[in-house]
Amino acid sequence: DAGVIQSPRHEVTEMGQEVTLRCKPISGHDYLFWYRQTMMRGLELLIYFNNNVPIDDSGMPEDRFSAKMPNASFSTLKIQPSEPRDSAVYFCASSRTGRYNEQFFGPGTRLTVL
Amino acid sequence: SQQGEEDPQALSIQEGENATMNCSYKTSINNLQWYRQNSGRGLVHLILIRSNEREKHSGRLRVTLDTSKKSSSLLITASRAADTASYFCATTTSGTYKYIFGTGTRLKVLA
């Protein structure tokens, strides 16, 4: 298996632009998580899905952030409009029910908002 | 706010020595996991310990859990330069798959 795939790996954009991050979970995994990692705040859970349905989005910082999972093999995290404080590494992770919640992380997307 | 707080924040040791890092958390947990993150990479799962377990081993890793003190420790024995990474604990409560990660310990193993 290829593992969790994220794209792009790096994104540089200007303030006010829309940013879309993409994730393909491991086949057969029914949970998908989006995290954000910064030096100041560490690793924060933004939202997670179970069977494509959002379960907990309490970590989404504000309305500028939205996430979708149209099918079991694809999810997006969108920021619109982006701001410099959104600069961070965004990770996607997936897991499978019954595996005691072991999460498999993707390589991350490093986002820089100028 | 962070559920888990690791200490020390940074640790530097010589190859062959043991490394111990600690994690404290605030609320009752279902299980606790330890992850490793190499620079510029995603996190990799190392070991899980359930709330009713006190100790667990996996290769050179030993994890202990003290639910009365709300703390866990990760011991890496006979460390290698390849163990250089950041180590995070993550906790979840019963009935949820929502994990909260600690602040991490940066381990540097000198060859």
Side-chain angles (χ1 to χ4, degrees):
Chain A
D1 201 319
V4 175
I5 299 173
Q6 291 187 248
S7 65
R9 293 294 310 277
H10 301 273
E11 177 81 32
V12 180
T13 190
E14 293 191 346
M15 183 174 63
Q17 296 296 308
E18 176 181 303
V19 174
T20 300
L21 312 181
R22 297 172 176 80
C23 174
K24 177 179 169 55
I26 293 173
S27 177
H29 283 192
D30 54 346
Y31 282 86
L32 184 138
F33 306 80
W34 282 101
Y35 292 90
R36 177 173 68 177
Q37 186 176 39
T38 62
M39 287 295 292
M40 291 296 295
R41 300 176 66 88
L43 193 66
E44 303 172 279
L45 175 65
L46 301 177
I47 184 171
Y48 78 94
F49 296 82
N50 177 224
N51 291 323
N52 314 337
V53 176
I55 302 301
D56 188 331
D57 65 353
S58 59
M60 296 286 263
E62 40 195 282
D63 291 346
R64 297 185 297 106
F65 286 69
S66 62
K68 294 182 180 179
M69 192 165 186
N71 57 61
S73 58
F74 184 66
S75 177
T76 60
L77 178 68
K78 184 178 292 186
I79 308 172
Q80 180 186 20
S82 58
E83 297 181 3
R85 59 190 167 129
D86 301 330
S87 297
V89 180
Y90 290 82
F91 289 102
C92 174
S94 68
S95 68
R96 192 175 75 206
T97 302
R99 287 289 298 171
Y100 297 115
N101 308 354
E102 175 185 347
Q103 296 187 19
F104 294 80
F105 280 74
T109 295
R110 181 173 295 277
L111 173 65
T112 302
V113 183
L114 303 174
Chain B
S1 62
Q2 293 285 350
Q3 162 76 317
E5 299 285 337
E6 283 94 332
D7 85 273
Q9 291 188 355
L11 180 61
S12 186
I13 60 174
Q14 295 291 325
E15 205 167 30
E17 294 181 339
N18 295 342
T20 300
M21 52 206 88
N22 304 296
C23 166
S24 60
Y25 56 91
K26 298 174 182 175
T27 62
S28 296
I29 61 171
N30 187 37
N31 64 60
L32 184 146
Q33 301 185 25
W34 284 90
Y35 285 80
R36 183 188 73 226
Q37 184 180 32
N38 290 87
S39 180
R41 302 283 193 93
L43 281 73
V44 174
H45 179 263
L46 294 176
I47 193 167
L48 175 149
I49 187 165
R50 285 177 258 181
S51 59
N52 61 353
E53 297 177 314
R54 292 297 167 258
E55 187 171 314
K56 205 159 183 182
H57 297 254
S58 177
R60 294 184 297 113
L61 305 180
R62 173 177 165 251
V63 171
T64 62
L65 179 65
D66 187 335
T67 54
S68 67
K69 295 181 179 178
K70 292 187 170 57
S71 68
S72 173
S73 67
L74 172 67
L75 168 67
I76 304 173
T77 60
S79 63
R80 307 166 181 167
D83 295 328
T84 294
S86 292
Y87 292 82
F88 295 87
C89 66
T91 56
T92 188
T93 54
S94 181
T96 176
Y97 276 68
K98 180 176 181 176
Y99 268 88
I100 299 178
F101 282 78
T103 51
T105 292
R106 295 188 309 279
L107 173 65
K108 187 170 186 178
V109 181
L110 305 171

